[in-house]
Amino acid sequence: MFDALDLARPHLRDVQPYTSARDDFTGEAHVYLDANENPFGSVTGGGLNRYPDPHHRRVKSRLAETLGVGTEALFVGNGSDEAIDLLIHAFCEPGSDHVLVTPPTYGMYAVTAAVNDVEAREVLLNRDYTLNVPAVIGALTAETKLVFLCSPNNPTGNLQDPEAIAAVARAAAGLVVVDEAYIDFAPHGSVLPRLGDLPNLVVLRTFSKAWGMAAARVGIAVAHPSVAALLGRIKLPYNLSQPAQDAIMDAAGRVQERDRFVDLIVAERAWLAARLVSAPGVEIVHPSDANFLLVRFTDAPTTYARLAAEGVIVRDRSRVALCEGGLRITIGTRDENRELLRALGASGDNGVPTATR
Ligand code: PMP
């Protein structure tokens, strides 16, 4: 029987979470004098004077419906970045355990490991950005408490084969965290359905991308109930503000609106990729299952500086292993994408240089 507590740092088994009087009280109350709040209201109005639900009960049942999972499988955090931090905090003993990451990938896994004084061991992706499954499996030890895989991967944009991820999960004694921040932009390939038979999988999702809710700061971990419960036990009590909880209650049912954004961004991705391939200085436009394109330029640092001088900011990944010459370009609106092409000196809609139109 899988139990996260067998993998967790031993001292956490006995840590009792902070409780409030509202946890002990199950009846109907109408006078709340337990939490030292301001009874009169907020200086801004808007009813922010009461602490939000630390257990996110309504949010979780709404999200459980949207995702088709049980509420007990959910952890909801201040962005998926919080889940990354809590996973490392919960499972990795500083100085002795380590996490495994597969660069080029999202930088926060290694940064958060470093902040927690936990080593991040690296197994590079293959040159085509697929997972090097034998190398990942070969690197696993008893101290590999977490393997971070990102699918679709940031900054390369490609989806990883769910079978490759499952192979790693079957081989790992620790947890395999699959960051699906960009999965809504991929046609298929989520490993969420595999959670039932792979109890050491943790799937991260975020509202920051397809849902367009980056400022609300809400991310989710879907995991074995014992993992979700442990994260819930060690998080800060009020990690999701009331405005964030309200925003998610409003957003979670709006799957059609999300899908409309996804369709727009995917169409815009194809439009931009088709024009970038013939843009000056472009060597490769990598295929993407995400809301960005990794583009290899002959001279990325100069291109980056020229774009910045024109007020167009992209992400310079050119010094990252296997991304040499690469700039990561988020898909913008049609106008923004035209601006980008113009700044690159590229052709616009009809093969006419945008600068001359
Ligand atoms: N995972 C990946 C792969 C990301 O690219 C990002 C954001 N850039 C995050 C997680 C963080 O998302 P959130 O806004 O939910 O913290």
Side-chain angles (χ1 to χ4, degrees):
M1 264 290 281
F2 180 89
D3 186 345
L5 290 182
D6 296 336
L7 279 173
R9 293 168 66 192
H11 74 282
L12 292 176
R13 286 187 199 134
D14 304 321
V15 170
Q16 290 308 314
Y18 176 79
T19 55
S20 77
R22 288 168 208 181
D23 291 327
D24 310 328
F25 184 77
T26 48
E28 274 297 306
H30 61 284
V31 180
Y32 288 101
L33 302 177
D34 61 311
N36 303 346
E37 297 150 336
N38 181 335
F40 298 106
S42 321
V43 292
T44 55
L48 295 174
N49 52 319
R50 300 292 178 185
Y51 282 101
D53 172 16
H55 308 296
H56 318 142
R57 289 189 186 90
R58 294 176 65 227
V59 166
K60 276 191 185 172
S61 44
R62 195 65 179 266
L63 292 176
E65 273 169 43
T66 305
L67 289 162
V69 299
T71 53
E72 70 289 348
L74 287 178
F75 163 81
V76 192
N78 183 341
S80 37
D81 284 342
E82 184 187 8
I84 294 166
D85 181 55
L86 287 181
L87 283 162
I88 295 174
H89 185 97
F91 292 99
C92 298
E93 205 56 54
S96 53
D97 292 331
H98 63 264
V99 305
L100 203 149
V101 296
T102 60
T105 194
Y106 182 44
M108 278 300 280
Y109 314 135
V111 169
T112 311
V115 168
N116 283 284
D117 190 21
V118 167
E119 182 193 354
R121 292 209 181 151
E122 299 189 343
V123 175
L124 286 186
L125 294 175
N126 293 313
R127 292 211 75 82
D128 63 359
Y129 300 143
T130 55
L131 276 181
N132 186 342
V133 176
V136 170
I137 291 177
L140 296 171
T141 74
E143 288 75 40
T144 315
K145 292 297 167 65
L146 301 170
V147 179
F148 283 100
L149 305 177
C150 188
S151 178
N153 186 42
N154 174 8
T156 59
N158 59 304
L159 193 74
Q160 299 297 356
D161 177 3
E163 287 313 318
I165 295 173
V168 173
R170 280 193 295 271
L175 299 182
V176 174
V177 183
V178 185
D179 186 342
E180 295 191 340
Y182 300 100
I183 196 70
D184 298 308
F185 303 105
H188 50 72
S190 171
V191 294
L192 199 58
R194 310 299 293 264
L195 266 174
D197 44 280
L198 296 168
N200 61 336
L201 267 190
V202 178
V203 177
L204 303 183
R205 295 281 183 90
T206 179
F207 277 88
S208 300
K209 312 294 175 185
W211 298 81
M213 309 283 292
R217 307 302 306 128
V218 180
I220 306 169
V222 193
H224 188 271
S226 63
V227 175
L230 178 60
L231 300 183
R233 203 150 62 74
I234 65 170
K235 73 179 183 66
L236 294 178
Y238 304 111
N239 62 327
L240 273 194
S241 72
Q242 191 61 52
Q245 296 198 33
D246 290 344
I248 294 316
M249 287 305 290
D250 190 14
R254 298 180 186 264
V255 176
Q256 281 174 343
E257 281 97 319
R258 179 202 62 191
D259 290 346
R260 207 165 46 80
F261 279 136
V262 168
D263 290 348
L264 254 175
I265 290 167
V266 167
E268 212 47 46
R269 184 176 76 196
W271 184 90
L272 182 61
R275 280 149 190 83
L276 280 171
V277 284
S278 53
V282 169
E283 290 182 344
I284 298 175
V285 180
H286 290 282
S288 172
D289 289 308
N291 67 340
F292 54 82
L293 292 165
L294 181 65
V295 183
R296 196 172 87 196
F297 288 85
T298 46
D299 185 354
T302 306
T303 306
Y304 176 82
R306 209 177 64 230
L307 288 174
E310 298 265 348
V312 178
I313 309 300
V314 298
R315 190 89 154 107
D316 185 357
R317 300 281 79 183
S318 64
R319 283 173 293 275
V320 171
L322 300 185
C323 293
E324 291 79 8
L327 299 181
R328 193 195 69 195
I329 302 174
T330 305
I331 308 303
T333 63
R334 178 64 58 90
D335 283 350
E336 290 170 336
N337 298 334
R338 281 213 172 92
E339 279 259 356
L340 168 85
L341 291 169
R342 188 190 54 72
L344 287 171
S347 294
D349 274 332
N350 332 306
V352 180
T354 42
T356 65
R357 287 187 298 131

